[in-house]
């Protein structure tokens, strides 16, 4: 991965682009707030992580991480609050 970054920087320099500032990414992952996720769970706590992700416009992995931070643990029947 580091090699790719170095190669990209070399290409920029070869194009006479000496700007070292980070470029804004167009498809940057969207951050979600715990309150947004909690509101959806309050409406219907039987929703899957995939369903929550689709509603919030984020990945299932992002939902999984937020649920973990919020104290949800896996159980045989899905997630439960600790």
């Amino acid at each position: 991965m580091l090699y790719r970054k170095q190669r990209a920087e070399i290409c920029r320099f070869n194009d006479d682009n000496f700007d070292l500032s980070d470029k804004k990414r167009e498809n940057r992952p969207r951050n979600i707030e715990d309150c947004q996720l909690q509101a959806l769970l309050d409406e219907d706590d039987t929703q899957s992580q995939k369903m929550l992700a689709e509603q919030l416009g984020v990945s299932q992995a992002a939902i999984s991480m937020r649920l973990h931070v919020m104290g949800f643990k896996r159980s045989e029947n899905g997630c439960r609050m600790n």
Side-chain angles (χ1 to χ4, degrees), residues 8-82:
E9 289 174 359
I10 290 170
C11 288
R12 279 194 292 168
F13 290 136
N14 288 339
D15 292 338
D16 293 328
N17 180 359
F18 298 103
D19 183 20
L20 297 176
S21 61
D22 290 331
K23 293 181 179 179
K24 186 174 181 174
R25 295 185 286 170
E26 294 178 16
N27 295 327
R28 185 161 186 218
R30 185 173 161 241
N31 293 330
I32 58 171
E33 299 292 330
D34 292 347
C35 59
Q36 293 173 305
L37 183 53
Q38 188 63 53
L40 289 175
L41 291 170
D42 289 342
E43 288 177 17
D44 180 8
D45 62 354
T46 62
Q47 297 181 80
S48 68
Q49 290 183 10
K50 183 178 179 181
M51 291 168 55
L52 293 167
E54 289 172 355
Q55 291 178 54
L56 293 172
V58 297
S59 68
Q60 184 270 328
I63 296 294
S64 179
M65 286 187 284
R66 293 310 318 153
L67 289 172
H68 177 75
V69 169
M70 292 169 65
F72 284 83
K73 303 292 180 192
R74 288 187 180 177
S75 68
E76 299 89 31
N77 299 334
C79 287
R80 62 176 170 79
M81 186 68 164
N82 219 13

